[in-house]
Amino acid sequence: MIDQTNIKAILIDLISAAFDTSATAVEWTISELVRNARVMEKLQEEVQSVVGMERMVEEKDLGELTYLNMVVKESFRLRPIGPLLVPRECREDITIEGYWIPKKSRIIVNTWAIGHDQNVWSNNVEEFYPEDSWRGT
Ligand code: HEM
């Protein structure tokens, strides 16, 4: 049975996990496009050639919008919405890369740092450069 507690949990999921993340991701992506005219123009050209100006973008178009895919991934790298993800609890004692992690430790995964690691990305990790993001997929 769905009671008040379930409804509260669903609403929190919807508002914080679904609406807010999506809106913030769109805001960051648009702001990067505004700051990067080269990327904006290349993306506009793709959308115009794949979809045209007579209709809206539809889900079936996504497979062909490869540059859009790169732009979204680059946005997630440079401006991650949940930079520290959701905390985890370690289920067993374990050693990873020489680090001893006792059972029940709280683990925070820093995806912001992963997205800014110069060993993985280019030297210019602060630049919004979708072509580089593609390399990381
Ligand atoms: C651009 C949009 C979104 C972004 C950037 C985003 C980002 C994230 C991140 C970073 C996490 C944590 C993942 C982890 O710690 O492993 C997460 C978890 C989650 N997201 Fe999203 N999210 C988005 C859209 C949505 C939408 C639309 C929904 C629901 C309709 C949703 C539902 C959830 C739920 C339920 C979890 C928890 C999953 C779990 O417990 O394993 N998210 N999301």
Side-chain angles (χ1 to χ4, degrees), residues 41-108:
E41 279 167 27
K42 196 168 163 181
L43 183 58
Q44 283 171 336
E45 277 166 23
E46 182 183 74
V47 173
Q48 280 164 16
S49 77
V50 173
V51 180
M53 301 296 282
E54 304 301 318
R55 64 177 178 85
M56 303 289 278
V57 175
E58 292 173 25
E59 197 172 340
K60 67 176 166 58
D61 300 315
L62 295 182
E64 284 183 80
L65 294 168
T66 48
Y67 196 61
L68 175 63
N69 194 331
M70 293 153 82
V71 166
V72 171
K73 285 181 174 159
E74 177 68 340
S75 183
F76 286 165
R77 177 192 72 80
L78 193 60
R79 310 291 182 201
I81 308 303
L84 300 178
L85 296 184
V86 175
R88 266 84 173 160
E89 183 181 291
C90 189
R91 283 193 296 196
E92 57 194 44
D93 293 340
I94 192 165
T95 302
I96 298 177
E97 307 241 337
Y99 292 95
W100 162 242
I101 304 170
K103 185 176 173 175
K104 293 198 86 61
S105 300
R106 175 174 289 199
I107 307 296
I108 310 284

Side-chain angles (χ1 to χ4, degrees), residues 70 73-75 77 121 129-137:
M70 293 153 82
K73 285 181 174 159
E74 177 68 340
S75 183
R77 177 192 72 80
W121 311 99
Y129 198 83
E131 289 79 357
D132 241 16
S133 228
W134 194 243
R135 217 183 42 188
T137 57

Side-chain angles (χ1 to χ4, degrees), residues 13-14 16-26 72 76 79-88 109 111:
D13 265 10
L14 280 177
S16 64
F19 300 165
D20 201 48
T21 48
S22 306
T24 310
V26 170
V72 171
F76 286 165
R79 310 291 182 201
I81 308 303
L84 300 178
L85 296 184
V86 175
R88 266 84 173 160
V109 178
T111 55

